């Protein structure tokens, strides 16, 4: 425990409180395949050209003296273009990877290439649970998406669970973490309902046992009470953004930090039979995390159609006016965002008093 974690004095904090569709699909698939084949043809054509140029240059220089003995080579006339095969090959390879979408499975930290994860999916309107949380966690903001840890002072580790069940789907969510990054442990990840959400000690709570998988702000991954190195330690007292990509099909969990992919952190999550939920926790007083983005992949065509309909029907009242069959109404209602309990005026007054 550090003095700064438990002190009672107020500290500044951030205030981020049918047949036609089948034809279209077939046409789109054909276009994508043709474009991918064209890029790959250009790529392999460049490789052949590069190899030929390299062999020509090698034959020309076969009987030349060593580099240390050579005279300075005069600049060739403008009508002669020296063969430089490597950049051409690299450009074609980059284009092929970008168009075809070849993904490498490694832990190298790479910036986003093009779109962010699951941008072709739809908005996923889950929030933080008012029931599954520590008493040292307060919620505020639209749909309870802002989490405040230890609003007065800290005497342990507090956590909260999200309302989204992750199993068998592909989900991406992003957290905006306030500049108060310090203390024993601030963690982001997933867990089952058996994962503890409060303990009167400063510890790495998420991943202390087999029920949690978490990343600490110190750059360590935790699961089953065992830590391993994953990335650099976060800079203290500097705001940051953490993205989390859960792939329930592949069984992987991947982290992003400030638009940089940190690589796959955990595997085998598709073998977990218990429901998995997003979880965050912190030991530091007056820290704040905001759920700024949450997206999911489409399950099927029915799911995709529902997402389009919900864009035009924002509330349950408007949905009921359509007088649709009961089963269709309930299916559409599952995607509405007005299902979470709002913060009461008294709760908001207490939040404003203690935090601001």
């Amino acid at each position: 425990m550090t003095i700064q974690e438990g002190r009672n004095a107020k500290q500044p904090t951030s205030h981020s409180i049918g047949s036609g569709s089948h034809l279209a699909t077939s046409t789109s698939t054909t276009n994508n395949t043709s474009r991918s084949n064209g890029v790959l043809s250009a790529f392999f054509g460049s490789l052949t050209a590069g190899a030929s140029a390299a062999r020509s240059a090698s034959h020309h220089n076969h009987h030349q003296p060593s580099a240390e003995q050579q005279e300075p080579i005069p600049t060739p006339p403008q009508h002669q273009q020296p063969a430089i095969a490597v950049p051409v090959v690299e450009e074609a390879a980059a284009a092929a990877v970008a168009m075809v979408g070849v993904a490498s499975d490694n832990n190298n930290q790479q910036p986003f290439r093009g779109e962010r994860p699951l941008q072709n999916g739809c908005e996923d309107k889950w929030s933080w649970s008012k029931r599954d949380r520590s008493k040292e966690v307060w919620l505020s903001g639209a749909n309870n998406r802002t989490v405040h840890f230890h609003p007065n002072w800290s005497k342990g580790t507090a956590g909260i669970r999200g309302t989204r069940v992750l199993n068998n789907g592909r989900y991406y969510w992003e957290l905006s973490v306030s500049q108060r990054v310090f203390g024993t442990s601030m963690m982001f990840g997933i867990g089952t309902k058996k994962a503890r959400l409060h303990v009167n000690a400063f510890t790495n709570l998420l991943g202390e046992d087999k029920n949690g998988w978490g990343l600490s702000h110190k750059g360590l991954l935790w699961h089953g009470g065992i830590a391993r190195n994953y990335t650099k330690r976060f800079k203290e007292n500097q705001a940051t953004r953490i993205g989390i990509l859960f792939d329930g099909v592949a069984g992987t969990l991947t982290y992003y930090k400030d638009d940089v992919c940190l690589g796959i952190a955990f595997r085998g999550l598709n073998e977990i039979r218990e429901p998995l939920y997003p979880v965050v926790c912190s030991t530091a007083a007056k820290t704040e995390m905001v759920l700024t983005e949450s997206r999911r992949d489409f399950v099927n065509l029915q799911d995709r159609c529902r997402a389009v309909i919900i864009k035009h029907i924002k509330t349950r009242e408007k949905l009921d006016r359509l007088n649709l069959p009961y089963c269709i109404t309930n299916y559409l209602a599952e995607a509405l965002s007005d299902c979470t309990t709002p913060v009461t005026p008294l709760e908001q007054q207490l939040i404003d008093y203690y935090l601001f």
Side-chain angles (χ1 to χ4, degrees):
M1 171 177 177
T2 63
I3 297 177
Q4 192 174 8
E5 283 177 317
R7 64 186 183 186
N8 193 21
K10 286 192 175 183
Q11 297 291 340
T13 183
S14 63
H15 294 245
S16 55
I17 299 269
S19 63
S21 63
H22 175 73
L23 177 58
T25 303
S26 176
T27 303
S28 174
T29 304
T30 303
N31 291 338
N32 290 335
T33 304
S34 300
R35 183 169 63 251
S36 300
N37 291 337
V39 174
L40 287 175
S41 298
F43 170 58
F44 290 112
S46 299
L47 283 177
T48 305
S52 299
R55 285 195 300 268
S56 176
S58 174
H59 176 74
H60 176 73
N61 294 327
H62 180 69
H63 298 290
Q64 297 296 324
S66 63
E68 291 82 2
Q69 298 172 345
Q70 286 182 357
E71 295 284 336
I73 300 176
T75 304
Q78 293 188 0
H79 66 275
Q80 298 179 359
Q81 294 297 332
I84 305 177
V86 175
V88 176
V89 175
E90 289 181 347
E91 290 177 4
V97 172
M99 294 297 296
V100 182
V102 179
S104 61
D105 183 7
N106 56 52
N107 282 337
N108 293 331
Q109 300 181 9
Q110 297 291 338
F112 285 131
R113 294 190 181 277
E115 296 181 342
R116 303 168 76 83
L118 302 187
Q119 283 300 295
N120 292 326
C122 64
E123 184 181 359
D124 191 24
K125 299 178 181 179
W126 61 271
S127 185
W128 301 111
S129 173
K130 293 189 66 177
R131 180 181 61 184
D132 300 328
R133 61 185 172 114
S134 164
K135 293 182 179 180
E136 291 293 315
V137 171
W138 288 13
L139 295 171
S140 68
N143 294 326
N144 300 330
R145 287 196 154 201
T146 302
V147 181
H148 307 272
F149 295 95
H150 313 286
N152 191 15
W153 58 284
S154 176
K155 57 182 178 181
T157 310
I160 186 170
R161 191 158 40 234
T163 58
R164 163 58 64 197
V165 178
L166 300 169
N167 305 60
N168 303 320
R170 299 182 71 231
Y171 302 89
Y172 175 79
W173 63 100
E174 194 166 279
L175 302 166
S176 176
V177 184
S178 68
Q179 65 181 8
R180 292 180 59 80
V181 178
F182 67 100
T184 302
S185 183
M186 298 176 66
M187 305 193 73
F188 328 87
I190 62 174
T192 69
K193 281 195 172 183
K194 294 180 181 179
R196 294 196 298 174
L197 297 176
H198 183 85
V199 60
N200 291 322
F202 298 102
T203 184
N204 296 282
L205 188 60
L206 186 57
E208 65 172 355
D209 53 25
K210 64 179 182 179
N211 297 308
W213 296 259
L215 168 64
S216 165
H217 77 286
K218 294 183 178 179
L220 301 176
L221 293 175
W222 284 86
H223 174 63
I226 300 174
R228 57 186 174 91
N229 291 321
Y230 177 64
T231 188
K232 295 180 181 178
R233 183 187 182 114
F234 296 7
K235 292 183 179 179
E236 292 197 356
N237 299 317
Q238 180 173 314
T240 187
R241 295 194 317 277
I242 302 298
I244 304 174
L245 176 62
F246 176 87
D247 190 333
V249 178
T252 60
L253 189 69
T254 304
Y255 289 95
Y256 298 77
K257 184 180 184 297
D258 296 327
D259 291 344
V260 175
C261 179
L262 304 180
I264 295 176
F266 299 103
R267 299 179 183 275
L269 298 173
N270 53 332
E271 300 177 1
I272 306 300
R273 295 295 173 256
E274 296 182 68
L276 295 170
Y277 302 85
V279 179
V280 290
C281 58
S282 176
T283 62
K286 300 183 179 181
T287 53
E288 176 183 299
M289 300 182 193
V290 184
L291 180 61
T292 57
E293 182 178 355
S294 55
R295 305 189 65 82
R296 66 178 177 85
D297 206 0
F298 291 112
V299 177
N300 48 34
L301 180 59
Q302 179 176 315
D303 186 27
R304 187 181 293 270
C305 292
R306 177 174 65 175
V308 174
I309 295 172
I310 293 303
K311 288 182 179 180
H312 304 279
I313 303 175
K314 304 293 185 180
T315 64
R316 181 60 186 259
E317 181 182 357
K318 292 182 179 180
L319 178 60
D320 292 337
R321 291 178 187 173
L322 299 178
N323 293 322
L324 298 172
Y326 179 77
C327 60
I328 297 179
T329 300
N330 279 352
Y331 178 71
L332 294 174
E334 290 176 358
L336 292 174
S337 60
D338 56 354
C339 57
T340 55
T341 305
V343 177
T344 65
L346 177 59
E347 290 175 329
Q348 188 62 53
Q349 183 179 0
L350 292 173
I351 291 171
D352 293 339
Y353 175 79
Y354 282 105
L355 297 180
F356 312 123

